[in-house]
Amino acid sequence: MRYRNRKKRSPWGHVKAWLTRLFRVYAHEFTLVLHDKGLLLFFGFLPFVYPVLYSLIYNPEVVREVEMIVVDHDRTPLSRELVRNIDACEQAWVMGYAADLAEAREAMNRGDCYAILEIPEGFDRKVGRGETGNAVMYCEMSLLLRYKSLLIAVTNVMEEMGSELMTETINRVGPLVGTITDGNLMPIVNASLGNIKSGFDSFIMPAVIILILQQCLILVVGMAGGAKHENPRMTLYNPYNYMGSTIGTMLGQALCYMTIMFIPCVFMIHYVPMIFRFPMAGNVLEELMFLLPMTLGCVGMGFVFQAVVTERESVFVSWVVTSLLFLLISGIIWPRYDMPVVWRWLGAIFPSTWGVEGFVKMNTDGSRLWQVGSEYINLWILAVVWWIAGWCAQKWVVHPEIRRHELQRAVVVAQIKAQRTERDETEVQG
Amino acid sequence: MKTEPRGSKVWIIPDTVKGIMVRSLIQIARRPLMWVGLFLLPLFMFLFIGTMLDAGLPTRIPAGIVDKDGTKLSRGITQTLSGMQMVDLKETPNSYTQARQMLQEGKIYGFFMIPENFQSDLLSGRKPAITFYTNMAYYVPGTLLFKTFKATAIYSKAGVAMEVVQDVGQNPENFASLMMPVNVTSRCIGNPQLNYGIYLGNSFMPAVLQLMIMLCTVFALGQEVKYHTSPRLMKMAHGSIARALFGKLFPQTVIWWVMAFFLTAWMFRFNHYPMYGQWWVIALSQLLYVVASQAFAVAVFGILPNLRFSLSVCALTGILTFSIAAYSFPVQSMYSGLAIFSYLMPARYNFLIYANTALNGLPFHYSGIWFACYLVYPLLAILLMGRIKKAFVKPVYTP
């Protein structure tokens, strides 16, 4: 009977029926998400609060006015000029002079300053004689950004004073040359592309945004899987959502998660950079198109992850720390070409690696979609591979497990409902 | 229907603190998830971070040079640049546009630009500018390239000056100091090679430890509430929450101590991170760090005795630690309203003690105050124990 009914359907009828069932899974998944405060927290909190918090932490972008103490054994106009010039740089702040290195060192030990500039006796005399005047800067190295700021300040001062002194010397020795080399002989200009302020926030945030997107999706899918494994007493609603075909179910669920994630995603890739003035060189539509295979890949990874999540809360213990792994392996901090081979290959199987690579290029450097073609193709390949792995995990691990729970759940739910009606009746009577 | 974690009721365990400890150990041994959280993930992350940053600094960064001049002078600059250790001059684009596209595609991280008529302009005093571009979207390679490009430009400038001097009939040997009349040498205390492993490993690995400690602690406590086994635990502790918590968490503390010592050995012995201070200070710091992290988690659980909420808070703070504890961006540069939160996490004190002791080789009394801060966490946890007791006696699970 059933067979005949099926046969009567036109091909379009089959598709229509399949789509109806897909839509039912899609709609039911929404109900499940709404039932689950944990998932709602992930959807609502993670993508909206995390990027803002992170951006706020790093928002001053650059390290300015790093404290420095000077030990000047020379005490000449030139040594004072050097100190004045360094102090004039926005990166360094000369707090004061110390009598000797020991005193300065003590200040550094106490954490009052992070660098000591020692100018030796005879500094001015040496420069006057036509030799190189050497000063030494000692840096506290617990943070590289401080050192970087100081180094930039000192290099700039060195270059500028060098040019001046050079012109002076040339003029003194060969007046003819002076006409040629008046002022700066060969100006050196540098420009930072992409992240034009060379800011730390603008550097790290585009990558972090992509990582949040991936982690959010995987945690959501993982936790949803955990809820399905959960003991019936814990979740009274039926978390089972199945349309007869594994791939169809996966598709319905994925569409649901992606629908919910759409607004957070736009918020993260467009509004967060807008609020915090990060580079926004990319085209949002192209970026969304680029992120489509990434989100698919992440959901696929989540489906695989469901196979090992037996409890809703276990996703925290087993997944949260991986954010750091993904951050380091994505190549944003340490370039991918220079990584140990094992880690480069491991990184290649995660959507976030290519997502970060491509998104940073698009958002920060203004690449077009075709310029990140290799990353885009990699993301599609990964999406397919993770979906195949996810299909296997769902078909052979997750669904059989849930089916085992079905009967148990029915019994428990019936019991609890009976108890409730009994209680309600007594209340009414009372 | 009684719901308990799988197989936790088969054993007959005496109602003593020792009994609670045995029960706790059995619970750990029976949950694969606890194995993952206590051993597998932390060890993997230590291994990963240690080996990832093993090389110290990336070298041979792909770069390009746009030589629009094509003279002896510009070729000299190209040669100087390609001789630099940090740079791998991979591409020779013909124009700025082409170079920028290569940069956008990630083929190069920066390029050096020599303008047209560079040599003739220079020798006739028209002051042509040398420009270099670095892709700061990738901070580390960008900064390293910046440094190398800058040095090359300064050297080239000195070379050009020599040439100018020679052209007007002077002996360039008289101008040796023109190369660099004023020089400031940087001495990086404790990390002279600017090793990235020393800089990131020493802060990230303990922060991973803290994150895992917090998650595992809260998870273990929350499980009791979720599966309604906490009344049994309270009964075993004869109604004393202090005994219950001690018995429940001390086995984990011991495991974390072992992990912390392994971590210390991994950092300072196997990875050869600098260790200029006294060993006992670092050892004491690690011991207290574990306790402080656990106490922080207990305090969070005391405030929110709900498995999911407290796990969420621990995950949030644990992950934010990597930024807010100022491992890269200094506290002094943050907004002061946020900077105070830096001192909320035990990892911050671990980092400060490490910097003082291992990196800068200072004696104990410079870090004494940070040790005192470790002790605040257990006090906080003790204050909040009453709330945990309430939750344990009448467990309510909210999904």
Side-chain angles (χ1 to χ4, degrees):
Chain A
M1 186 69 183
R2 223 169 126 208
Y3 180 65
R4 224 173 26 197
N5 273 348
R6 269 192 171 183
K7 216 179 171 188
K8 266 185 197 163
R9 271 188 195 151
S10 63
W12 168 237
H14 278 295
V15 172
K16 217 166 112 184
W18 193 83
L19 281 178
T20 319
R21 277 182 294 154
L22 180 75
F23 181 74
R24 223 169 273 154
V25 167
Y26 174 74
H28 186 53
E29 196 64 26
F30 270 106
T31 326
L32 293 183
V33 169
L34 284 178
H35 266 95
D36 198 320
K37 281 186 206 134
L39 294 184
L40 287 180
L41 193 76
F42 275 145
F43 277 127
F45 188 78
L46 213 77
F48 287 105
V49 178
Y50 257 59
V52 173
L53 268 180
Y54 268 104
S55 307
L56 272 176
I57 292 174
Y58 293 133
N59 201 36
E61 295 272 15
V62 286
V63 179
R64 293 194 183 88
E65 305 288 330
V66 181
E67 292 88 345
M68 177 190 249
I69 281 187
V70 177
V71 181
D72 188 352
H73 298 296
D74 198 37
R75 303 274 179 181
T76 52
L78 188 71
S79 74
R80 283 194 292 273
E81 190 189 337
L82 176 68
V83 174
R84 221 168 32 241
N85 284 344
I86 290 177
D87 195 18
C89 293
E90 70 159 347
Q91 291 93 345
W93 172 36
V94 177
M95 289 181 74
Y97 284 78
D100 55 11
L101 206 55
E103 193 189 330
R105 185 67 215 246
E106 180 57 29
M108 199 188 215
N109 290 348
R110 282 199 313 264
D112 293 339
C113 71
Y114 299 97
I116 302 169
L117 181 73
E118 192 188 20
I119 305 171
E121 205 183 334
F123 175 75
D124 192 7
R125 211 179 323 138
K126 264 191 171 171
V127 175
R129 266 208 307 261
E131 294 170 32
T132 304
N134 265 313
V136 183
M137 180 174 68
Y138 300 95
C139 295
E140 205 269 346
M141 290 304 289
S142 61
L143 298 186
L144 284 189
L145 276 183
R146 275 196 201 116
Y147 166 74
K148 188 197 161 205
S149 283
L150 288 168
L151 191 72
I152 288 177
V154 165
T155 315
N156 285 344
V157 169
M158 254 162 66
E159 194 215 325
E160 228 154 82
M161 283 183 78
S163 304
E164 273 170 36
L165 289 166
M166 182 158 74
T167 321
E168 224 170 82
T169 322
I170 293 178
N171 283 344
R172 198 169 61 233
V173 184
L176 183 65
V177 194
T179 54
I180 302 172
T181 62
D182 197 24
N184 198 347
L185 180 68
M186 182 187 95
I188 299 169
V189 185
N190 64 273
S192 305
L193 291 179
N195 172 6
I196 50 171
K197 288 179 283 188
S198 302
F200 196 77
D201 214 9
S202 306
F203 143 67
I204 199 95
M205 278 317 290
V208 169
I209 282 170
I210 296 302
L211 288 173
I212 293 175
L213 182 65
Q214 168 179 300
Q215 295 298 72
C216 186
L217 278 165
I218 293 177
L219 284 171
V220 159
V221 180
M223 194 181 242
K228 285 168 190 159
H229 285 275
E230 201 78 74
N231 193 306
R233 197 169 272 276
M234 303 294 170
T235 45
L236 291 180
Y237 58 91
N238 184 2
Y240 198 38
N241 190 7
Y242 188 65
M243 63 174 265
S245 101
T246 310
I247 190 77
T249 313
M250 284 164 69
L251 201 64
Q253 290 172 337
L255 282 175
C256 165
Y257 302 137
M258 284 164 73
T259 315
I260 300 178
M261 270 313 273
F262 182 73
I263 289 173
C265 182
V266 172
F267 172 75
M268 285 199 290
I269 67 168
H270 187 69
Y271 289 96
V272 170
M274 201 178 196
I275 294 168
F276 293 99
R277 302 191 170 202
F278 299 146
M280 291 176 78
N283 176 331
V284 183
L285 281 179
E286 279 181 20
E287 282 169 7
L288 282 173
M289 259 171 77
F290 177 78
L291 290 179
L292 175 71
M294 199 199 103
T295 36
L296 275 173
C298 293
V299 175
M301 251 177 112
F303 283 134
V304 178
F305 186 42
Q306 279 188 349
V308 291
V309 181
T310 52
E311 198 181 327
R312 302 165 73 252
E313 289 84 3
S314 65
V315 291
F316 287 99
V317 179
S318 54
W319 199 259
V320 169
V321 76
T322 55
S323 308
L324 187 69
L325 169 82
F326 294 131
L327 178 69
L328 282 172
I329 220 165
S330 72
I332 189 73
I333 292 177
W334 191 280
R336 264 177 68 74
Y337 75 87
D338 204 44
M339 269 180 207
V341 184
V342 186
W343 301 132
R344 193 161 60 221
W345 278 97
L346 184 69
I349 66 166
F350 301 125
S352 66
T353 305
W354 304 109
V356 165
E357 193 112 317
F359 182 72
V360 166
K361 281 176 193 166
M362 292 174 89
N363 179 64
T364 313
D365 292 332
S367 305
R368 307 302 303 270
L369 193 56
W370 53 266
Q371 282 178 303
V372 291
S374 60
E375 285 87 355
Y376 198 46
I377 291 168
N378 285 341
L379 278 177
W380 276 114
I381 294 171
L382 277 186
V384 171
V385 171
W386 278 113
W387 270 70
I388 292 172
W391 183 81
C392 297
Q394 295 286 315
K395 177 109 182 153
W396 290 307
V397 184
V398 180
H399 286 300
E401 181 97 346
I402 297 171
R403 251 174 250 138
R404 259 204 301 282
H405 280 167
E406 277 267 73
L407 188 66
Q408 206 186 351
R409 180 182 311 281
V411 174
V412 171
V413 171
Q415 270 178 2
I416 290 173
K417 272 187 183 159
Q419 276 172 13
R420 277 190 185 167
T421 28
E422 205 173 297
R423 198 186 55 202
D424 290 348
E425 278 169 7
T426 43
E427 269 174 18
V428 169
Q429 282 164 8
Chain B
M1 200 174 85
K2 190 89 178 162
T3 48
E4 287 214 359
R6 268 169 256 165
S8 65
K9 51 192 170 183
V10 189
W11 302 46
I12 297 159
I13 301 164
D15 287 356
T16 54
V17 175
K18 214 187 266 173
I20 301 175
M21 285 185 194
V22 172
R23 176 174 171 275
S24 170
L25 277 176
I26 293 169
Q27 284 171 342
I28 291 173
R30 292 208 164 161
R31 286 287 312 248
L33 184 68
M34 290 313 272
W35 288 85
V36 170
L38 285 164
F39 303 104
L40 198 69
L41 274 176
L43 288 177
F44 173 76
M45 289 306 289
F46 297 160
L47 179 81
F48 167 68
I49 298 172
T51 49
M52 176 81 160
L53 306 169
D54 196 32
L57 268 186
T59 47
R60 313 296 299 158
I61 299 158
I65 186 159
V66 186
D67 183 0
K68 288 171 111 178
D69 191 36
T71 54
K72 175 174 147 263
L73 193 65
S74 68
R75 281 197 301 276
I77 294 176
T78 311
Q79 271 169 12
T80 318
L81 195 60
S82 61
M84 293 286 199
Q85 184 204 355
M86 281 295 170
V87 175
D88 182 10
L89 268 193
K90 267 202 163 141
E91 309 277 348
T92 48
N94 291 321
S95 64
Y96 172 80
T97 316
Q98 206 181 355
R100 185 163 167 266
Q101 270 173 16
M102 282 174 177
L103 185 133
Q104 283 176 327
E105 283 159 31
K107 286 181 189 151
I108 54 178
Y109 289 88
F111 54 93
F112 205 83
M113 207 152 136
I114 303 170
E116 268 165 294
N117 308 324
F118 175 67
Q119 189 177 10
S120 58
D121 281 358
L122 195 67
L123 296 181
S124 53
R126 279 195 290 271
K127 301 191 183 72
I130 270 193
T131 318
F132 56 85
Y133 300 86
T134 43
N135 185 0
M136 282 303 194
Y138 294 88
Y139 218 59
V140 179
T143 307
L144 291 171
L145 265 189
F146 170 85
K147 222 170 118 180
T148 311
F149 281 167
K150 185 110 188 171
T152 311
I154 291 178
Y155 292 146
S156 311
K157 192 170 172 176
V160 165
M162 292 295 206
E163 200 137 319
V164 173
V165 168
Q166 205 166 10
D167 281 358
V168 294
Q170 293 284 336
N171 183 4
E173 275 174 27
N174 297 338
F175 297 90
S177 80
L178 273 186
M179 293 293 281
M180 210 163 270
V182 175
N183 184 30
V184 181
T185 321
S186 305
R187 295 260 185 276
C188 308
I189 302 171
N191 187 0
Q193 318 93 333
L194 305 181
N195 188 321
Y196 236 70
I198 295 175
Y199 153 63
L200 277 186
N202 273 310
S203 47
F204 274 22
M205 284 193 250
V208 166
L209 191 71
Q210 178 197 272
L211 176 67
M212 293 316 296
I213 291 177
M214 291 189 334
L215 291 175
C216 287
T217 307
V218 167
F219 191 75
L221 294 179
Q223 290 278 299
E224 299 279 352
V225 174
K226 178 172 177 181
Y227 291 107
H228 296 236
T229 51
S230 53
R232 167 93 188 102
L233 176 68
M234 289 308 289
K235 212 180 129 215
M236 285 176 83
H238 304 297
S240 151
I241 183 69
R243 282 162 71 100
L245 283 180
F246 179 76
K248 175 85 189 160
L249 295 177
F250 191 69
Q252 280 198 18
T253 313
V254 174
I255 292 172
W256 289 122
W257 275 340
V258 174
M259 296 291 285
F261 276 104
F262 170 75
L263 170 66
T264 316
W266 169 245
M267 291 195 298
F268 299 117
R269 187 66 74 182
F270 296 109
N271 281 318
H272 305 287
Y273 294 164
M275 172 62 207
Y276 298 115
Q278 292 149 308
W279 276 106
W280 70 268
V281 182
I282 287 289
L284 183 67
S285 164
Q286 305 287 39
L287 285 179
L288 291 176
Y289 179 49
V290 167
V291 177
S293 307
Q294 279 192 312
F296 182 88
V298 172
V300 169
F301 191 75
I303 296 166
L304 294 164
N306 167 311
L307 179 55
R308 189 169 44 73
F309 276 145
S310 46
L311 273 173
S312 303
V313 171
C314 284
L316 170 78
T317 49
I319 282 292
L320 273 180
T321 297
F322 291 94
S323 326
I324 195 81
Y327 293 154
S328 339
F329 200 73
V331 169
Q332 290 85 347
S333 302
M334 287 178 195
Y335 296 133
S336 41
L338 275 169
I340 45 169
F341 289 106
S342 178
Y343 293 91
L344 197 69
M345 306 303 297
R348 174 73 184 157
Y349 305 110
N350 186 273
F351 175 68
L352 289 169
I353 293 170
Y354 140 76
N356 271 352
T357 309
L359 190 67
N360 295 329
L362 303 179
F364 175 77
H365 64 265
Y366 283 100
S367 329
I369 179 79
W370 309 132
F371 278 95
C373 293
Y374 274 149
L375 301 178
V376 173
Y377 297 98
L379 289 179
L380 195 68
I382 289 170
L383 277 180
L384 288 160
M385 259 175 5
R387 280 179 65 83
I388 300 181
K389 184 175 179 179
K390 223 183 270 171
F392 268 13
V393 173
K394 268 193 179 167
V396 180
Y397 174 70
T398 9

